[in-house]
């Protein structure tokens, strides 16, 4: 059934007499103003009308024989087999091909805490990206709670229907605990894309930037602006990948072990970052730094950028306004990346999560490990190959090589890890 039938357009126009369609009239009998028709056309609203996705059957139901197989009595045979051998659920249902995209609407894009209903357009968008770029079916689930216990219990109870759980747009620090507890309780992959998808793509771009300029990751000192979900995950994966040093900064400056105002998560971050023992502000940390990674918003003063090391890399990923505008960044950096699609080198999560889940589902992995994330980053970086240049350190989301490369690498890593 088309979206227009489910949710007919209120702003559609036709040449028929409006009186035949019950158009509104004023008290004096004159036709009232059609305010919707007076509004300028908006492509975003037009595209979203009725939603962006639907459920489609994969088998026909054309006659009584089809019905008897797809539903009763044929379906009872399959149910009984799964009851006796639960692992058969992966073979005879959609479980091994579908991911739950779960949010509480607390940290949606740059809009913040806008609630579950307002988050649905983003979750639908995530679901169609799973299908478009990874061949993975996904179902948006927006929860009307921001309580950690309630979110965990709800997802645990929904989990039998899904082969994986993608946590999305859940604010820090709750997102860390939610992911950890779900990973402990579920036997399917749980992946918070705002954390790990961003981290995988960032590492891939950084690997290629280093290769382009003849440097190794171990030679680089990075500064991350933002100690939320993405910042913490990036710090972890860069450390796992062998970065020379990395300092994470929040609003109060460098996250360091001597600070007494740190959350539990930030204390953990302080334990494996900032080996040089730097203190002070973001500007202080940037003095002589090789890499800036922005996942916080705000604006970094140009005078602080100018103090970075020659040939620096600037990944200013706040959207829509990068922490360092590309025009400023190019004055001082050898490689510049943003989160925007209208500049080169877009750090876009869609490069990672479809292939990561496709690979994990392919081998029925029960978790997504650090090794699988590192493998995804390496595969993503390798796609660029001979196209490597200052404006191409990361491939386009529409490069058809991306998802197969990431899928294969993640599946191989999962098999190797058992």
């Amino acid at each position: 059934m088309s979206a227009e039938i489910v949710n007919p357009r209120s702003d559609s126009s036709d040449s028929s007499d409006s009186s035949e369609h019950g158009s509104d009239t004023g008290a004096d009998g004159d036709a009232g103003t059609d305010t919707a028709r007076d509004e300028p056309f908006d492509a975003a609203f037009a595209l979203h009308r009725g939603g962006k996705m639907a459920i489609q059957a994969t088998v026909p139901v054309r006659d009584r024989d089809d019905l008897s197989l797809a539903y009763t009595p044929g379906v009872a045979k399959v149910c009984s087999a799964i009851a006796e051998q639960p692992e058969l659920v992966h073979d005879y249902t959609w479980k091994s091909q579908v991911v739950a995209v779960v949010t509480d609407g607390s940290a949606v894009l740059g809009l913040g805490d806008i609630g579950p209903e307002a988050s649905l357009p983003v979750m639908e968008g995530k679901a169609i990206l799973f299908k478009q770029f990874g061949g993975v079916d996904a179902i948006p689930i927006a929860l009307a709670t921001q309580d950690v216990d309630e979110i965990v219990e709800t997802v645990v109870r929904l989990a039998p229907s899904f082969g994986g759980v993608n946590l999305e747009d859940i604010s820090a620090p709750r997102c860390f605990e939610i992911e950890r507890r779900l990973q402990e309780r579920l036997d399917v992959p749980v992946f918070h894309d705002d954390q790990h998808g961003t981290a995988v793509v960032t590492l891939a771009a950084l690997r290629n930037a280093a290769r382009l300029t003849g440097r190794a990751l171990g030679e680089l000192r990075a500064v991350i602006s933002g100690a939320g979900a993405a910042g913490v995950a990036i710090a972890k994966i860069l450390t796992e990948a062998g970065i020379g040093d990395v300092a994470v900064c929040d609003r109060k400056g460098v996250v360091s072990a001597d600070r007494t105002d740190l959350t539990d998560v930030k204390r953990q971050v302080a334990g494996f970052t900032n080996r040089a023992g730097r203190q002070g502000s973001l500007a202080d940390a940037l003095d002589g730094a090789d890499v800036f990674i922005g996942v916080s918003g705000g604006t970094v003063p140009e005078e602080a950028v100018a103090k970075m090391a020659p040939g620096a890399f600037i990944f200013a990923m706040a959207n829509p306004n990068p922490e360092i505008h590309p025009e400023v960044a190019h004055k001082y950096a050898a490689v510049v990346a943003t989160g925007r699609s209208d500049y080169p080198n877009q750090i876009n999560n869609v490069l990672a999560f479809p292939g990561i889940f496709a690979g994990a589902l392919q081998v029925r992995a029960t978790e997504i490990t650090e090794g699988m994330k590192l493998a995804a980053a390496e595969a993503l970086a390798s796609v660029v190959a001979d196209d490597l240049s200052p404006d191409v350190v990361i491939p386009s989301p529409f490069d058809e090589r991306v998802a197969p490369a990431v899928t294969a690498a993640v599946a191989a890593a999962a098999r190797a890890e058992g």
Side-chain angles (χ1 to χ4, degrees), residues 58 82 95-96 120 124 137 152 205 214 240 247 252 279 307 310 316 330 341 380 393:
T58 61
I82 294 172
K95 182 179 175 77
S96 63
L120 269 176
E124 288 182 5
D137 291 305
V152 170
E240 289 282 342
K252 296 183 179 180
Q279 299 178 352
K307 292 182 179 179
H330 278 293
S341 60
L380 184 56
V393 296

Side-chain angles (χ1 to χ4, degrees), residues 129 132-134 201 338-355 380 383-384 392 394-404 406:
L129 295 180
Q132 174 74 22
F133 294 105
V201 182
T338 72
R340 291 175 49 149
S341 60
D342 53 347
Y343 290 104
N345 295 326
Q346 183 189 18
I347 307 295
N348 191 331
N349 290 10
V350 76
L351 289 162
F353 68 82
L380 184 56
V383 170
V384 172
V392 185
I394 201 75
S396 162
F398 297 99
D399 188 324
E400 295 181 354
R401 298 170 296 174
V402 168
V406 174

Side-chain angles (χ1 to χ4, degrees), residues 206-253:
L206 188 57
R207 282 193 181 282
N208 275 340
R211 182 162 69 93
L212 179 68
T213 55
R215 287 180 277 182
L217 286 180
E219 301 173 20
L220 303 177
R221 180 170 71 84
V223 176
I224 298 172
S225 175
V232 171
I234 292 169
K236 287 181 178 178
I237 201 169
L238 293 187
T239 301
E240 289 282 342
I243 192 81
D245 197 7
V246 56
V248 179
C249 297
D250 61 11
R251 291 183 180 87
K252 296 183 179 180

Side-chain angles (χ1 to χ4, degrees), residues 16-38:
S16 302
D17 187 340
S18 62
S19 64
E20 293 178 4
H21 300 278
S23 61
D24 293 337
T25 59
D28 58 0
D30 293 336
T33 301
D34 187 342
T35 55
R37 194 173 298 169
D38 292 339

